[in-house]
Amino acid sequence: MNAAQRQPVETKFEPLLQFEMEMGTFLSDWHHCDQLSTYVARMISHNRTDPVRHSNFFSSALNELLEVSFRGGSPEGRIGCAVYRQGPNERVKLSFPCPPGHRQFFQEAVARTHRNDAYARYLDAISTDLAPSREVILLDLAINFDASIRLEEDKPRSVTIVVDLPLEGIVS
Amino acid sequence: MSTAILSTPFQADFDANSQEFSLAGVIRPRSVDEIAPSISAFRSAIEEARGVLYINVKRLAQMNNTAFHAFSRVVLDACRTRSDIRFVVVTSSVVGWTERMFRHLGKIEPQITVEVYDSKFYPGQSFVEDTSFIPILRTQTKMTWRHERTILPRHGMRPGIVMADICCGIGDFAVLVRKEFQPARIVALDHSKASLAYARDVAANFGISDIEYTYGDASEMLLEDNQFDLVTCRHSLQIFNQRDLLLKELYRICKPGGRVYITNEKNSHCLGEPRAQSIQWTYDEVARLFSHFEMDVELGPKSRRYLADAGFDDILVESFMVTNHDGDPQDFADVITAWENVYAGEMAVKRGDPPEFIERFRQGFRDHIFAALHPKGYAGWPIWAASGRKPL
Ligand SMILES: C[S@@+](CC[C@H](N)C(=O)[O-])C[C@H]1O[C@@H](n2cnc3c(N)ncnc32)[C@H](O)[C@@H]1O
């Protein structure tokens, strides 16, 4: 079964917010990750049961994704991020340009979040790796935020990561 | 992008006396080098510590994976070389993901455990968060609102402002304020999940969806700095044992030029006629009873000093008397009955008071009720409302 067949019906997710910017601009300052995640989290959380805590959780997850695109993205093209909602779940769809060959890397990292040994790999990475790899960050989202992660088929030289976060259930 | 959302720098401190290393704020470095000084401070703390090192992350609002790995590495390495030391990570129930993340460390090294900080750290919290308080709070607010609705505009309340009600209880003040003054945004925070659930229910029944009820600890809030035009904190400074800490937080989230508004009581000044003496005796004892549990229900007139010491200027203090003649005297009587139940029925018992004392203690409340319901009687409950401006 390929990724496209596994997709849930898109229409059930309502769009909440989306932004796009030149990748070059995004990459010009590391703090953009923190600023954008804080801002987007605040905007989309205001009507959740506990807006402040929802925003804190969401910002954590989104920041990690933005950091992944900051570290792995290439400067030509645009980065786009859209947030959707369906009941207690938020979906983040993040697209950004990346060097050739990186898509393959992301596919493997995403596939590992679905494997049975995901937690063992995560613990192993915390206890042995010097710095977190992109794979560990995706594992972190899957394990600490109960995220389910997939990749969407995309133009060459860019990736689109789709992350579903059931935060309302965790927060309240 | 406005600069208002720039994250504040984080803090890393070691307190050698309590062997506690604290991390607070937002830690989102691009590389470990950016946090190298904190990492080496952490290493030295571990070297210095004997027995148990506490790692306090209660006020850690955000930490990225880069920082988490860097700090984790240090602890895990220490576990491998030092079998004589244990680590206790103290997380907050408010920031749920820190608990989830730090728990993994205990799976790797059993020398690391995680404790979730909760209400047991406040001496009087169990009484205050008691759900039996809910109906009293409601009637109390109904009675004080008659006064506060005219007082509030002098303390910075006006349409269109961004405000927070800290220690909001069951949230009825927020609902009343929203209706009367139409602020642009209201955040209402409390540490009682039962009160918040009640607040959300009430709001939903009135079709109100724009009050942001949030679970939090007023002395360690997740709210960002300099956000609110008006921060209210009603009847709550008096129940905290660490009042400076709470005021510091109220100050922090208030915008420069904005105001912090607090209301507090002076219980020994509750009064009534007839039977003034018995009433007086009981309320003097109420003040003593609360101070036994490190709460100061005599705080009202000290508001000016507290606000000045916390750094506010343009301080305004006023007082008003809620009486049996404000609305229905039965409301007043109901509030006193509830006080009697909690103060005499629970707190005095907990303090270990003898039955004779408790009986006399109860009598004063009954006499206050008698005064309130007496056709020629008068019963009063004085409140101090005060506010100060955060300097520009
Ligand atoms: C005396 S009640 C006042 C409630 C409300 N402001 C009113 O006037 O009706 C005190 C409130 O403070 C809350 N509280 C106590 N400790 C707290 C803390 N650490 N953080 C937030 N709220 C707290 C209690 O749950 C309670 O709702």
Side-chain angles (χ1 to χ4, degrees), chain B residues 117 122 125 128-129 133 137-138 140-141 144 165-173 189-192 195 216-219 233-236 238-240 246 263 265:
Chain B
Y117 158 92
Y122 292 85
Q125 194 122 6
V128 170
E129 289 195 4
F133 246 122
L137 291 178
R138 194 157 191 176
Q140 280 188 181
T141 308
T144 55
D165 186 32
I166 305 305
C167 301
C168 66
I170 53 167
D172 43 358
F173 179 72
L189 178 144
D190 202 277
H191 193 266
S192 156
S195 297
D217 178 352
S219 57
C233 180
R234 300 171 55 266
H235 296 279
S236 298
Q238 58 185 27
I239 60 154
F240 269 77
L246 174 56
T263 65
E265 299 165 67

mmCIF file of all heavy atoms in Angstrom, chain B residues 117 122 125 128-129 133 137-138 140-141 144 165-173 189-192 195 216-219 233-236 238-240 246 263 265, ligand 1:
data_model
loop_
_atom_site.group_PDB
_atom_site.id
_atom_site.type_symbol
_atom_site.label_atom_id
_atom_site.label_comp_id
_atom_site.label_asym_id
_atom_site.label_seq_id
_atom_site.Cartn_x
_atom_site.Cartn_y
_atom_site.Cartn_z
ATOM 1 N N TYR B 117 5.240 18.065 40.196
ATOM 2 C CA TYR B 117 4.922 19.058 41.213
ATOM 3 C C TYR B 117 3.418 19.273 41.219
ATOM 4 O O TYR B 117 2.803 19.379 40.178
ATOM 5 C CB TYR B 117 5.660 20.334 40.813
ATOM 6 C CG TYR B 117 5.125 21.613 41.357
ATOM 7 C CD1 TYR B 117 5.618 22.122 42.548
ATOM 8 C CD2 TYR B 117 4.173 22.341 40.656
ATOM 9 C CE1 TYR B 117 5.148 23.323 43.026
ATOM 10 C CE2 TYR B 117 3.706 23.539 41.137
ATOM 11 C CZ TYR B 117 4.195 24.019 42.328
ATOM 12 O OH TYR B 117 3.726 25.214 42.797
ATOM 13 N N TYR B 122 1.275 23.743 48.509
ATOM 14 C CA TYR B 122 0.658 24.910 49.127
ATOM 15 C C TYR B 122 -0.043 24.472 50.399
ATOM 16 O O TYR B 122 -0.950 23.654 50.340
ATOM 17 C CB TYR B 122 -0.374 25.539 48.195
ATOM 18 C CG TYR B 122 0.263 26.148 46.996
ATOM 19 C CD1 TYR B 122 0.543 25.373 45.895
ATOM 20 C CD2 TYR B 122 0.621 27.483 47.005
ATOM 21 C CE1 TYR B 122 1.159 25.921 44.796
ATOM 22 C CE2 TYR B 122 1.231 28.035 45.909
ATOM 23 C CZ TYR B 122 1.497 27.251 44.798
ATOM 24 O OH TYR B 122 2.104 27.786 43.720
ATOM 25 N N GLN B 125 -3.846 24.821 50.192
ATOM 26 C CA GLN B 125 -4.475 24.562 48.903
ATOM 27 C C GLN B 125 -5.621 23.547 48.956
ATOM 28 O O GLN B 125 -6.612 23.696 48.265
ATOM 29 C CB GLN B 125 -3.428 24.078 47.910
ATOM 30 C CG GLN B 125 -3.932 24.107 46.479
ATOM 31 C CD GLN B 125 -3.063 24.965 45.610
ATOM 32 O OE1 GLN B 125 -2.030 25.452 46.043
ATOM 33 N NE2 GLN B 125 -3.451 25.154 44.392
ATOM 34 N N VAL B 128 -8.758 25.258 49.839
ATOM 35 C CA VAL B 128 -9.191 26.242 48.861
ATOM 36 C C VAL B 128 -9.685 25.575 47.578
ATOM 37 O O VAL B 128 -10.610 26.049 46.931
ATOM 38 C CB VAL B 128 -8.037 27.211 48.582
ATOM 39 C CG1 VAL B 128 -8.357 28.090 47.402
ATOM 40 C CG2 VAL B 128 -7.767 28.065 49.807
ATOM 41 N N GLU B 129 -9.052 24.461 47.219
ATOM 42 C CA GLU B 129 -9.459 23.790 45.981
ATOM 43 C C GLU B 129 -10.615 22.818 46.219
ATOM 44 O O GLU B 129 -11.069 22.143 45.313
ATOM 45 C CB GLU B 129 -8.263 23.074 45.338
ATOM 46 C CG GLU B 129 -7.271 24.053 44.762
ATOM 47 C CD GLU B 129 -6.265 23.433 43.811
ATOM 48 O OE1 GLU B 129 -6.372 22.228 43.523
ATOM 49 O OE2 GLU B 129 -5.379 24.162 43.355
ATOM 50 N N PHE B 133 -16.331 24.601 48.035
ATOM 51 C CA PHE B 133 -16.203 26.049 47.964
ATOM 52 C C PHE B 133 -16.966 26.638 46.766
ATOM 53 O O PHE B 133 -17.268 27.822 46.727
ATOM 54 C CB PHE B 133 -14.722 26.445 47.823
ATOM 55 C CG PHE B 133 -14.183 27.195 49.019
ATOM 56 C CD1 PHE B 133 -13.098 26.721 49.735
ATOM 57 C CD2 PHE B 133 -14.763 28.397 49.408
ATOM 58 C CE1 PHE B 133 -12.606 27.408 50.832
ATOM 59 C CE2 PHE B 133 -14.270 29.097 50.498
ATOM 60 C CZ PHE B 133 -13.192 28.601 51.214
ATOM 61 N N LEU B 137 -18.234 30.600 46.317
ATOM 62 C CA LEU B 137 -17.553 31.549 45.437
ATOM 63 C C LEU B 137 -18.570 32.264 44.563
ATOM 64 O O LEU B 137 -18.481 33.455 44.327
ATOM 65 C CB LEU B 137 -16.525 30.825 44.570
ATOM 66 C CG LEU B 137 -15.300 30.259 45.297
ATOM 67 C CD1 LEU B 137 -14.394 29.525 44.326
ATOM 68 C CD2 LEU B 137 -14.511 31.363 45.998
ATOM 69 N N ARG B 138 -19.544 31.494 44.119
ATOM 70 C CA ARG B 138 -20.533 32.053 43.220
ATOM 71 C C ARG B 138 -21.341 33.169 43.890
ATOM 72 O O ARG B 138 -21.523 34.252 43.339
ATOM 73 C CB ARG B 138 -21.461 30.923 42.787
ATOM 74 C CG ARG B 138 -22.250 31.358 41.633
ATOM 75 C CD ARG B 138 -22.765 30.261 40.813
ATOM 76 N NE ARG B 138 -23.258 30.919 39.610
ATOM 77 C CZ ARG B 138 -23.727 30.292 38.586
ATOM 78 N NH1 ARG B 138 -23.736 28.995 38.559
ATOM 79 N NH2 ARG B 138 -24.176 30.958 37.551
ATOM 80 N N GLN B 140 -20.486 34.792 46.616
ATOM 81 C CA GLN B 140 -19.570 35.875 46.981
ATOM 82 C C GLN B 140 -19.392 36.854 45.821
ATOM 83 O O GLN B 140 -19.454 38.061 45.991
ATOM 84 C CB GLN B 140 -18.190 35.301 47.344
ATOM 85 C CG GLN B 140 -18.112 34.745 48.738
ATOM 86 C CD GLN B 140 -16.684 34.364 49.142
ATOM 87 O OE1 GLN B 140 -16.477 33.883 50.222
ATOM 88 N NE2 GLN B 140 -15.698 34.569 48.270
ATOM 89 N N THR B 141 -19.142 36.288 44.636
ATOM 90 C CA THR B 141 -18.902 37.152 43.482
ATOM 91 C C THR B 141 -20.134 37.979 43.156
ATOM 92 O O THR B 141 -20.038 39.152 42.818
ATOM 93 C CB THR B 141 -18.463 36.328 42.258
ATOM 94 O OG1 THR B 141 -17.379 35.512 42.653
ATOM 95 C CG2 THR B 141 -18.037 37.216 41.115
ATOM 96 N N THR B 144 -20.035 40.843 45.652
ATOM 97 C CA THR B 144 -18.964 41.836 45.482
ATOM 98 C C THR B 144 -19.111 42.575 44.151
ATOM 99 O O THR B 144 -18.711 43.729 44.028
ATOM 100 C CB THR B 144 -17.558 41.194 45.544
ATOM 101 O OG1 THR B 144 -17.486 40.153 44.588
ATOM 102 C CG2 THR B 144 -17.255 40.651 46.919
ATOM 103 N N ASP B 165 -7.566 37.083 34.311
ATOM 104 C CA ASP B 165 -8.034 36.934 35.696
ATOM 105 C C ASP B 165 -7.308 35.718 36.261
ATOM 106 O O ASP B 165 -7.567 34.579 35.854
ATOM 107 C CB ASP B 165 -9.558 36.757 35.736
ATOM 108 C CG ASP B 165 -10.089 36.745 37.173
ATOM 109 O OD1 ASP B 165 -9.485 37.429 38.035
ATOM 110 O OD2 ASP B 165 -11.085 36.049 37.442
ATOM 111 N N ILE B 166 -6.375 35.979 37.156
ATOM 112 C CA ILE B 166 -5.538 34.911 37.680
ATOM 113 C C ILE B 166 -6.133 34.416 38.999
ATOM 114 O O ILE B 166 -6.518 35.221 39.835
ATOM 115 C CB ILE B 166 -4.081 35.426 37.875
ATOM 116 C CG1 ILE B 166 -3.545 36.017 36.569
ATOM 117 C CG2 ILE B 166 -3.180 34.320 38.401
ATOM 118 C CD1 ILE B 166 -3.602 35.099 35.371
ATOM 119 N N CYS B 167 -6.175 33.106 39.162
ATOM 120 C CA CYS B 167 -6.917 32.467 40.266
ATOM 121 C C CYS B 167 -8.394 32.779 40.082
ATOM 122 O O CYS B 167 -9.064 33.323 40.964
ATOM 123 C CB CYS B 167 -6.445 32.929 41.638
ATOM 124 S SG CYS B 167 -4.710 32.610 41.932
ATOM 125 N N CYS B 168 -8.903 32.431 38.914
ATOM 126 C CA CYS B 168 -10.249 32.844 38.504
ATOM 127 C C CYS B 168 -11.345 32.061 39.196
ATOM 128 O O CYS B 168 -12.518 32.408 39.079
ATOM 129 C CB CYS B 168 -10.398 32.693 36.992
ATOM 130 S SG CYS B 168 -10.328 30.968 36.448
ATOM 131 N N GLY B 169 -10.990 30.981 39.887
ATOM 132 C CA GLY B 169 -12.018 30.179 40.544
ATOM 133 C C GLY B 169 -12.979 29.609 39.524
ATOM 134 O O GLY B 169 -12.558 29.074 38.502
ATOM 135 N N ILE B 170 -14.273 29.770 39.775
ATOM 136 C CA ILE B 170 -15.266 29.187 38.870
ATOM 137 C C ILE B 170 -15.587 30.119 37.706
ATOM 138 O O ILE B 170 -16.521 29.871 36.956
ATOM 139 C CB ILE B 170 -16.551 28.817 39.620
ATOM 140 C CG1 ILE B 170 -17.049 30.030 40.411
ATOM 141 C CG2 ILE B 170 -16.301 27.643 40.542
ATOM 142 C CD1 ILE B 170 -18.451 29.870 40.913
ATOM 143 N N GLY B 171 -14.820 31.183 37.563
ATOM 144 C CA GLY B 171 -14.863 31.958 36.331
ATOM 145 C C GLY B 171 -16.028 32.916 36.170
ATOM 146 O O GLY B 171 -16.200 33.512 35.114
ATOM 147 N N ASP B 172 -16.827 33.087 37.213
ATOM 148 C CA ASP B 172 -18.001 33.946 37.041
ATOM 149 C C ASP B 172 -17.620 35.425 36.926
ATOM 150 O O ASP B 172 -18.292 36.188 36.236
ATOM 151 C CB ASP B 172 -19.051 33.723 38.138
ATOM 152 C CG ASP B 172 -18.429 33.609 39.516
ATOM 153 O OD1 ASP B 172 -17.187 33.658 39.602
ATOM 154 O OD2 ASP B 172 -19.171 33.470 40.486
ATOM 155 N N PHE B 173 -16.528 35.823 37.552
ATOM 156 C CA PHE B 173 -16.062 37.209 37.420
ATOM 157 C C PHE B 173 -15.749 37.499 35.944
ATOM 158 O O PHE B 173 -16.143 38.533 35.405
ATOM 159 C CB PHE B 173 -14.826 37.435 38.302
ATOM 160 C CG PHE B 173 -14.239 38.817 38.225
ATOM 161 C CD1 PHE B 173 -14.892 39.900 38.800
ATOM 162 C CD2 PHE B 173 -13.022 39.039 37.579
ATOM 163 C CE1 PHE B 173 -14.345 41.176 38.742
ATOM 164 C CE2 PHE B 173 -12.467 40.308 37.511
ATOM 165 C CZ PHE B 173 -13.128 41.385 38.087
ATOM 166 N N LEU B 189 -7.232 31.974 34.545
ATOM 167 C CA LEU B 189 -6.376 30.855 34.955
ATOM 168 C C LEU B 189 -6.647 30.432 36.389
ATOM 169 O O LEU B 189 -6.842 31.258 37.263
ATOM 170 C CB LEU B 189 -4.924 31.297 34.792
ATOM 171 C CG LEU B 189 -3.806 30.331 35.191
ATOM 172 C CD1 LEU B 189 -2.613 30.472 34.239
ATOM 173 C CD2 LEU B 189 -3.341 30.511 36.631
ATOM 174 N N ASP B 190 -6.647 29.132 36.613
ATOM 175 C CA ASP B 190 -6.781 28.622 37.978
ATOM 176 C C ASP B 190 -6.074 27.268 38.074
ATOM 177 O O ASP B 190 -5.762 26.635 37.060
ATOM 178 C CB ASP B 190 -8.261 28.475 38.379
ATOM 179 C CG ASP B 190 -8.446 28.479 39.894
ATOM 180 O OD1 ASP B 190 -8.270 27.402 40.525
ATOM 181 O OD2 ASP B 190 -8.738 29.547 40.455
ATOM 182 N N HIS B 191 -5.838 26.855 39.313
ATOM 183 C CA HIS B 191 -5.144 25.590 39.524
ATOM 184 C C HIS B 191 -6.105 24.487 39.944
ATOM 185 O O HIS B 191 -5.692 23.383 40.287
ATOM 186 C CB HIS B 191 -4.056 25.792 40.593
ATOM 187 C CG HIS B 191 -3.096 24.657 40.673
ATOM 188 N ND1 HIS B 191 -3.243 23.617 41.555
ATOM 189 C CD2 HIS B 191 -1.986 24.386 39.960
ATOM 190 C CE1 HIS B 191 -2.254 22.766 41.395
ATOM 191 N NE2 HIS B 191 -1.478 23.198 40.426
ATOM 192 N N SER B 192 -7.399 24.802 39.942
ATOM 193 C CA SER B 192 -8.364 23.783 40.329
ATOM 194 C C SER B 192 -9.081 23.289 39.076
ATOM 195 O O SER B 192 -9.814 24.036 38.428
ATOM 196 C CB SER B 192 -9.358 24.379 41.314
ATOM 197 O OG SER B 192 -10.557 23.645 41.286
ATOM 198 N N SER B 195 -12.899 23.536 39.425
ATOM 199 C CA SER B 195 -13.453 24.876 39.214
ATOM 200 C C SER B 195 -13.454 25.238 37.735
ATOM 201 O O SER B 195 -14.400 25.840 37.229
ATOM 202 C CB SER B 195 -12.640 25.930 39.971
ATOM 203 O OG SER B 195 -12.722 25.694 41.344
ATOM 204 N N GLY B 216 -3.405 26.287 35.324
ATOM 205 C CA GLY B 216 -2.037 26.744 35.518
ATOM 206 C C GLY B 216 -1.755 27.027 36.969
ATOM 207 O O GLY B 216 -2.667 27.027 37.804
ATOM 208 N N ASP B 217 -0.489 27.234 37.251
ATOM 209 C CA ASP B 217 -0.064 27.588 38.594
ATOM 210 C C ASP B 217 0.296 29.069 38.570
ATOM 211 O O ASP B 217 1.202 29.481 37.853
ATOM 212 C CB ASP B 217 1.143 26.732 38.971
ATOM 213 C CG ASP B 217 1.667 27.076 40.353
ATOM 214 O OD1 ASP B 217 1.205 28.066 40.948
ATOM 215 O OD2 ASP B 217 2.552 26.347 40.828
ATOM 216 N N ALA B 218 -0.431 29.857 39.356
ATOM 217 C CA ALA B 218 -0.258 31.309 39.319
ATOM 218 C C ALA B 218 1.165 31.737 39.657
ATOM 219 O O ALA B 218 1.592 32.816 39.264
ATOM 220 C CB ALA B 218 -1.237 31.962 40.281
ATOM 221 N N SER B 219 1.896 30.913 40.367
ATOM 222 C CA SER B 219 3.255 31.327 40.718
ATOM 223 C C SER B 219 4.267 30.894 39.656
ATOM 224 O O SER B 219 5.449 31.210 39.758
ATOM 225 C CB SER B 219 3.636 30.787 42.090
ATOM 226 O OG SER B 219 3.504 29.391 42.106
ATOM 227 N N CYS B 233 -6.612 39.711 40.170
ATOM 228 C CA CYS B 233 -6.347 38.538 41.010
ATOM 229 C C CYS B 233 -7.135 38.766 42.289
ATOM 230 O O CYS B 233 -6.721 39.522 43.158
ATOM 231 C CB CYS B 233 -4.858 38.423 41.281
ATOM 232 S SG CYS B 233 -4.472 36.996 42.310
ATOM 233 N N ARG B 234 -8.287 38.123 42.367
ATOM 234 C CA ARG B 234 -9.246 38.478 43.414
ATOM 235 C C ARG B 234 -9.295 37.450 44.533
ATOM 236 O O ARG B 234 -9.398 36.253 44.285
ATOM 237 C CB ARG B 234 -10.616 38.669 42.774
ATOM 238 C CG ARG B 234 -10.592 39.797 41.715
ATOM 239 C CD ARG B 234 -11.848 39.875 40.898
ATOM 240 N NE ARG B 234 -13.022 39.996 41.715
ATOM 241 C CZ ARG B 234 -13.769 38.971 42.102
ATOM 242 N NH1 ARG B 234 -13.486 37.758 41.702
ATOM 243 N NH2 ARG B 234 -14.817 39.185 42.872
ATOM 244 N N HIS B 235 -9.178 37.934 45.756
ATOM 245 C CA HIS B 235 -9.277 37.094 46.954
ATOM 246 C C HIS B 235 -8.256 35.983 46.989
ATOM 247 O O HIS B 235 -8.496 34.923 47.579
ATOM 248 C CB HIS B 235 -10.676 36.455 47.058
ATOM 249 C CG HIS B 235 -11.761 37.450 47.236
ATOM 250 N ND1 HIS B 235 -12.055 38.008 48.450
ATOM 251 C CD2 HIS B 235 -12.580 38.031 46.345
ATOM 252 C CE1 HIS B 235 -13.042 38.871 48.295
ATOM 253 N NE2 HIS B 235 -13.368 38.915 47.025
ATOM 254 N N SER B 236 -7.154 36.166 46.348
ATOM 255 C CA SER B 236 -6.232 35.042 46.224
ATOM 256 C C SER B 236 -4.835 35.315 46.739
ATOM 257 O O SER B 236 -4.172 34.394 47.212
ATOM 258 C CB SER B 236 -6.160 34.589 44.771
ATOM 259 O OG SER B 236 -7.442 34.156 44.366
ATOM 260 N N GLN B 238 -4.148 36.603 49.353
ATOM 261 C CA GLN B 238 -4.219 36.311 50.782
ATOM 262 C C GLN B 238 -4.105 34.826 51.116
ATOM 263 O O GLN B 238 -3.809 34.469 52.246
ATOM 264 C CB GLN B 238 -5.532 36.866 51.348
ATOM 265 C CG GLN B 238 -6.757 36.293 50.641
ATOM 266 C CD GLN B 238 -8.070 36.933 51.106
ATOM 267 O OE1 GLN B 238 -8.097 38.069 51.548
ATOM 268 N NE2 GLN B 238 -9.158 36.180 51.008
ATOM 269 N N ILE B 239 -4.362 33.956 50.130
ATOM 270 C CA ILE B 239 -4.285 32.532 50.454
ATOM 271 C C ILE B 239 -2.940 31.910 50.081
ATOM 272 O O ILE B 239 -2.697 30.751 50.337
ATOM 273 C CB ILE B 239 -5.417 31.720 49.784
ATOM 274 C CG1 ILE B 239 -5.334 31.869 48.262
ATOM 275 C CG2 ILE B 239 -6.783 32.151 50.306
ATOM 276 C CD1 ILE B 239 -5.926 30.696 47.543
ATOM 277 N N PHE B 240 -2.075 32.713 49.470
ATOM 278 C CA PHE B 240 -0.764 32.196 49.089
ATOM 279 C C PHE B 240 0.238 32.373 50.214
ATOM 280 O O PHE B 240 0.249 33.400 50.868
ATOM 281 C CB PHE B 240 -0.228 32.966 47.886
ATOM 282 C CG PHE B 240 -0.600 32.336 46.590
ATOM 283 C CD1 PHE B 240 -1.874 32.488 46.082
ATOM 284 C CD2 PHE B 240 0.322 31.583 45.889
ATOM 285 C CE1 PHE B 240 -2.227 31.892 44.889
ATOM 286 C CE2 PHE B 240 -0.025 30.994 44.698
ATOM 287 C CZ PHE B 240 -1.298 31.146 44.193
ATOM 288 N N LEU B 246 3.885 35.325 43.663
ATOM 289 C CA LEU B 246 2.666 35.536 42.897
ATOM 290 C C LEU B 246 2.650 36.957 42.312
ATOM 291 O O LEU B 246 2.386 37.145 41.121
ATOM 292 C CB LEU B 246 1.437 35.307 43.788
ATOM 293 C CG LEU B 246 0.074 35.635 43.166
ATOM 294 C CD1 LEU B 246 -0.148 34.875 41.875
ATOM 295 C CD2 LEU B 246 -1.056 35.314 44.138
ATOM 296 N N THR B 263 -7.948 42.046 45.014
ATOM 297 C CA THR B 263 -8.868 42.293 46.125
ATOM 298 C C THR B 263 -8.532 41.309 47.235
ATOM 299 O O THR B 263 -8.129 40.172 46.972
ATOM 300 C CB THR B 263 -10.352 42.130 45.741
ATOM 301 O OG1 THR B 263 -10.600 40.770 45.393
ATOM 302 C CG2 THR B 263 -10.746 43.025 44.601
ATOM 303 N N GLU B 265 -9.230 40.527 51.815
ATOM 304 C CA GLU B 265 -10.104 40.784 52.958
ATOM 305 C C GLU B 265 -9.315 41.254 54.174
ATOM 306 O O GLU B 265 -8.088 41.263 54.167
ATOM 307 C CB GLU B 265 -10.823 39.481 53.336
ATOM 308 C CG GLU B 265 -11.697 38.934 52.244
ATOM 309 C CD GLU B 265 -12.101 37.498 52.498
ATOM 310 O OE1 GLU B 265 -12.844 37.261 53.458
ATOM 311 O OE2 GLU B 265 -11.660 36.606 51.747
HETATM 312 C C1 LIG C 1 -10.447 32.247 47.362
HETATM 313 S S1 LIG C 1 -10.505 31.601 45.743
HETATM 314 C C2 LIG C 1 -10.886 33.011 44.785
HETATM 315 C C3 LIG C 1 -11.492 32.668 43.467
HETATM 316 C C4 LIG C 1 -12.010 33.827 42.621
HETATM 317 N N1 LIG C 1 -10.981 34.773 42.263
HETATM 318 C C5 LIG C 1 -13.138 34.519 43.334
HETATM 319 O O1 LIG C 1 -12.960 35.630 43.789
HETATM 320 O O2 LIG C 1 -14.204 33.917 43.413
HETATM 321 C C6 LIG C 1 -8.859 31.256 45.392
HETATM 322 C C7 LIG C 1 -8.636 30.567 44.076
HETATM 323 O O3 LIG C 1 -7.236 30.452 43.879
HETATM 324 C C8 LIG C 1 -6.993 29.238 43.230
HETATM 325 N N2 LIG C 1 -5.595 28.870 43.430
HETATM 326 C C9 LIG C 1 -4.981 28.466 44.559
HETATM 327 N N3 LIG C 1 -3.692 28.226 44.350
HETATM 328 C C10 LIG C 1 -3.471 28.489 43.042
HETATM 329 C C11 LIG C 1 -2.332 28.422 42.215
HETATM 330 N N4 LIG C 1 -1.155 28.036 42.679
HETATM 331 N N5 LIG C 1 -2.457 28.770 40.935
HETATM 332 C C12 LIG C 1 -3.647 29.156 40.433
HETATM 333 N N6 LIG C 1 -4.756 29.223 41.163
HETATM 334 C C13 LIG C 1 -4.679 28.889 42.454
HETATM 335 C C14 LIG C 1 -7.968 28.284 43.850
HETATM 336 O O4 LIG C 1 -8.181 27.145 43.051
HETATM 337 C C15 LIG C 1 -9.191 29.168 43.995
HETATM 338 O O5 LIG C 1 -10.019 29.060 42.876
#
